Amino acid sequence: MDNLFRRTGIDVPEPVRRFLQGETDTWLRVEEYRDGNTMVVRTDVPGIDPDQDIDITVTDGALHIVARRREPADKDQPGYRSEVHYGEHSRSIPLPRGANLDTIEASYIDGVLEVRTQLPEQTGTSATKVHVSRGGNRPPEAPKNNVM
């Protein structure tokens, strides 16, 4: 289904896309913003070892983040209660056209994963004027073949 959205150019919000694909509550919540010519993606993933529990890849123009949170050993102790989600959590973030994949860097500080990549300089937006025709100014239609 992801390929269908990508092919048709439909921009579907991540939670909706995941729901339609049958994924529930296994995604990372992210902050995404631009810092000058840098795209910054941040997500809170406390209590993990970034060397073992985080995988970051780029494929098909998207940044893919996978983080694993392992259940604690003392979970079977009497009185143990947890509202923390354990297991594998992931997120795919489309990268803007022209993002420099060679400059992608990731850091993990105080439970926050931050991924940065350089974007091309924005030289202002160019606009194309589109002519709006009035009622009778349409080009003539081609004749239709009436085959029965």
Side-chain angles (χ1 to χ4, degrees), residues 61-133:
L63 176 70
H64 305 282
I65 302 171
V66 178
R68 288 168 293 283
R69 182 175 289 144
R70 302 174 200 284
E71 290 187 72
D74 57 358
K75 70 177 185 146
D76 295 326
Q77 297 297 320
Y80 177 81
R81 187 177 87 76
S82 177
E83 294 180 356
V84 176
H85 293 277
Y86 293 99
E88 187 169 283
H89 307 278
S90 64
R91 186 68 183 261
S92 295
I93 297 101
L95 292 170
R97 187 170 301 162
N100 187 344
L101 304 182
D102 296 329
T103 65
I104 295 179
E105 296 177 343
S107 62
Y108 181 79
I109 300 170
D110 295 333
V112 177
L113 175 67
E114 182 175 281
V115 182
R116 293 176 162 263
T117 187
Q118 294 297 308
L119 301 175
E121 285 193 36
Q122 303 221 349
T123 59
T125 58
S126 62
T128 302
K129 176 90 170 136
V130 176
H131 175 72
V132 178
S133 63

